[in-house]
Amino acid sequence: MIIDAHEDIAWNMLAYGRDYTHSAHEIRRHEQETGSETPRYNGQALLGYPDWLRGQVGIVFGTLFVGPARKRGPERHVPAYADAEEAHRLYRRELGLYHRLTEEHPDQFRLLRTRADLNAHIAEWKQKPADAPKPIGIVVLMEGAEGVRTPDELPQWWEGGVRLIGPAWVGNRFCGGTGEPGPLTDEGRTLLAAMDDLGFVLDLSHMDPQAARQAVEAYTGTVIASHANPAALLPETDSNRFLPDDVIDALAARDGVIGIVPFNRFLDATWKPGDPRLPLEKVVEHIDYICQRTGSSRHVAIGSDFDGGFGVESVPAGIDTVADLQKLAPLLAARGYTNDDIAAIFAHNWLRKLKTVLK
Ligand SMILES: [Zn+2]
């Protein structure tokens, strides 16, 4: 099985009306036939139920994501928030979409909220043949905590299924974020303390490194980076979106796990849309960097971010849909990774972290 720690499923449903009960190819065809603008802004779809199943992607961290109106690009029609109230409404709506998806299509999608849910899900996937239809498990990850108006509503989000929270996307009232450096604020510290009390996983992705360092120090619970690549392999950029070595070390010291993003621009900062797609080997280089840096295969995994602002034209050659993540296995093996290493990177590392939060 593969566990993918970052897919903006609800955002694609909310903003673009994508129907993930269909395959990525069916979604592409539908968008072409209807003259949809979605591929222009969000790329050609990489996700779809038959593709998750074919790639044995049995669990995904499905995000709640909406951006602030001040960061909205040329896509004027997509949802965005002006303030915390509006963010709250949009994030709630996305959570509702996961509930509806899993209630209306229980044969295809299933929310995982408890250890019992997780155990039953894994058992079903082990017991049924690889190609037999079975539901994809979704664990809800909140990306950007602007929808949390005050920390005292965190229990409601937990009740609704949210188990992981990344406070930042761009900078916000909690901390510095992508493109907007800054520390963890007092409000950020209050949020983290409340998350800690309830047992949420803290996702450092998108936090400015300064804020990330402060957050790791402040947080006593499980810490991860669901989708973030090592800054050391992207020397051409000074973007704060990538993980400096000391943050990688701090995560590893806390038994954290880092999801590598197979997005060309995150694999080679000089890559531009229209350039030839990069070799899939590039993803292995980023995985290998974390392994060499931390001394084992225990702290790295996959956080694809597929359909999260880019599509098939912006991922390495050989990846047509999420199913092709399986092609990383032979490349890792050729580089000397054992079957156990590959199983850790594909699923067991995330599984270990899920077991700390699904109770
Ligand atoms: Zn993101």
Side-chain angles (χ1 to χ4, degrees), residues 183-340:
L184 191 62
T185 64
D186 287 346
E187 211 171 340
R189 287 187 186 277
T190 308
L191 176 76
L192 290 189
M195 284 167 53
D196 227 344
D197 284 347
L198 289 162
F200 283 97
V201 172
L202 168 64
D203 182 0
L204 300 183
S205 311
H206 287 284
M207 290 180 88
D208 181 64
Q210 184 192 359
R213 290 177 190 112
Q214 294 170 313
V216 174
E217 219 164 277
Y219 210 66
T220 68
T222 301
V223 186
I224 65 158
S226 68
H227 63 313
N229 292 3
L233 294 187
L234 298 151
E236 304 86 358
T237 175
D238 55 5
S239 164
N240 69 345
R241 175 65 180 85
F242 307 109
L243 298 175
D245 284 342
D246 73 295
V247 175
I248 293 170
D249 296 346
L251 274 163
R254 295 285 292 278
D255 198 31
V257 177
I258 297 161
I260 295 298
V261 187
F263 169 34
N264 288 336
R265 203 154 53 77
F266 281 18
L267 297 169
D268 176 347
T270 65
W271 187 89
K272 303 179 301 300
D275 286 355
R277 295 164 71 189
L278 298 174
L280 194 52
E281 184 64 39
K282 270 274 171 201
V283 181
V284 176
E285 282 174 29
H286 280 246
I287 291 172
D288 188 58
Y289 182 84
I290 305 284
C291 295
Q292 301 304 332
R293 176 87 203 166
T294 61
S296 82
S297 59
R298 198 176 160 84
H299 305 293
V300 69
I302 295 168
S304 78
D305 209 5
F306 282 172
D307 289 359
F310 59 91
V312 69
E313 49 290 281
S314 303
V315 297
I319 297 189
D320 180 47
T321 74
V322 69
D324 297 309
L325 289 173
Q326 288 287 350
K327 291 180 180 169
L328 290 168
L331 296 182
L332 286 163
R335 206 155 170 145
Y337 284 78
T338 65
N339 285 341
D340 282 351

Side-chain angles (χ1 to χ4, degrees), residues 4 15 71 78 112 127 140 183 189 220 282 288 328 354:
D4 184 355
K71 284 287 173 185
V78 297
L112 304 180
Q127 180 211 330
V140 181
R189 287 187 186 277
T220 68
K282 270 274 171 201
D288 188 58
L328 290 168
L354 283 179

